[in-house]
Amino acid sequence: MKALAPSILSADMTHLAQQIRLVEMGGSDLIHCDIMDGHFVPNITFGPMMVEAVRRSTKLPIDVHLMINDPDKYVAAFAEAGANYISVHREEVVHLNRTINLIKDLGVKAGVVINPATPVTSLEDILEYIDFVLVMSVNPGFGGQKFIPNTIRRIKQLDEMRSSHELNFDIEVDGGVDSTNIRELSEAGCNIFVAGSSVFGADNITAATIELKNKISP
């Protein structure tokens, strides 16, 4: 499956339901929510109440990316708010296997996120237990950043690990994804593509969604 996940971090929050409807019309597959606490990253976004608002606005799966300290305290709240996917940072979670099991016990797909400087090999012993890996292609904390080119190599490395271990986890990418790089990311082995400003910053949000979807289609 190749899935597009527009990030509401770049959406017009005063017209959130309408903005979500526009990406739905373009064929988006998930809605991505970036949760930041001002501690793990230098920015604050929103919490479970916003995820509840997204849930009321769409039937699409909701992908929640937790950029927060001590995520174990909050995964249940986000699951109850309507999250279908929850990912936590390798750099933050000490007992990663326990956190993954906690997410799965809530009936939610569990993922691990790695920052640009975190080695892909650090995931070797958790890959068989997770549903997806989210590869950050910018340093987390703010939208609209420039794509880091070596992300392509990192995704290829993860794809090779997936094949060699005969696993089927999804590979997701987040940060600076647009029409200039999304096809190469897809060819490298990426399955889920988070796009923020390249979708919600476009003059025609639905057309921008369609363009990205076409570039990852077989």
Side-chain angles (χ1 to χ4, degrees), residues 1 5 30 32 62-66 83-89 96 100 103-104 108-114 123 126-135 158 162 167-174 191-194:
M1 176 190 75
L30 302 94
H32 186 84
I62 299 174
D63 176 25
V64 171
H65 172 196
L66 296 181
N84 303 99
Y85 295 67
I86 294 177
S87 55
V88 296
H89 271 261
L96 188 55
I100 292 301
I103 295 170
K104 287 190 166 189
V108 176
K109 290 184 180 295
V112 177
V113 193
I114 53 172
L123 300 177
I126 197 67
L127 291 176
E128 64 188 287
Y129 303 106
I130 62 178
D131 297 299
F132 64 103
V133 175
L134 172 50
V135 179
L158 260 177
R162 179 170 57 183
L167 298 172
N168 60 1
F169 59 86
D170 286 315
I171 300 174
E172 183 173 8
V173 64
D174 182 3
N191 300 92
I192 303 173
F193 309 82
V194 178

Side-chain angles (χ1 to χ4, degrees), residues 10-158:
S10 299
D12 179 354
M13 294 299 175
T14 63
H15 300 92
L16 181 60
Q18 180 186 36
Q19 299 256 296
I20 290 174
R21 179 58 185 150
L22 291 173
V23 297
E24 286 180 331
M25 290 168 60
S28 61
D29 302 285
L30 302 94
I31 300 297
H32 186 84
C33 298
D34 288 303
I35 311 301
M36 307 179 194
D37 65 356
H39 297 284
F40 181 68
V41 292
N43 196 9
I44 298 173
T45 54
F46 37 76
M49 288 182 64
M50 181 62 77
V51 175
E52 287 179 0
V54 174
R55 179 77 290 156
R56 291 194 297 270
S57 301
T58 185
K59 293 182 179 179
L60 291 177
I62 299 174
D63 176 25
V64 171
H65 172 196
L66 296 181
M67 289 172 270
I68 62 176
N69 289 157
D70 202 3
D72 287 23
K73 291 182 178 179
Y74 305 100
V75 292
F78 283 102
E80 291 169 7
N84 303 99
Y85 295 67
I86 294 177
S87 55
V88 296
H89 271 261
R90 177 70 183 85
E91 303 83 10
E92 168 61 21
V93 179
V94 176
H95 304 291
L96 188 55
N97 192 276
R98 184 172 67 191
T99 302
I100 292 301
N101 287 336
L102 174 62
I103 295 170
K104 287 190 166 189
D105 286 346
L106 293 165
V108 176
K109 290 184 180 295
V112 177
V113 193
I114 53 172
N115 285 337
T118 301
V120 171
T121 53
S122 69
L123 300 177
E124 186 82 36
D125 292 322
I126 197 67
L127 291 176
E128 64 188 287
Y129 303 106
I130 62 178
D131 297 299
F132 64 103
V133 175
L134 172 50
V135 179
M136 292 303 299
S137 43
V138 299
N139 288 294
F142 297 93
Q145 296 184 66
K146 187 176 180 180
F147 179 83
I148 297 174
N150 74 354
T151 303
I152 301 292
R153 172 180 56 78
R154 287 159 59 78
I155 288 174
K156 287 179 179 178
Q157 186 179 358
L158 260 177

Side-chain angles (χ1 to χ4, degrees), residues 204-218:
N204 187 322
I205 291 172
T206 300
T209 305
I210 292 170
E211 179 184 11
L212 293 180
K213 280 284 291 185
N214 287 340
K215 286 183 179 292
I216 60 174
S217 297

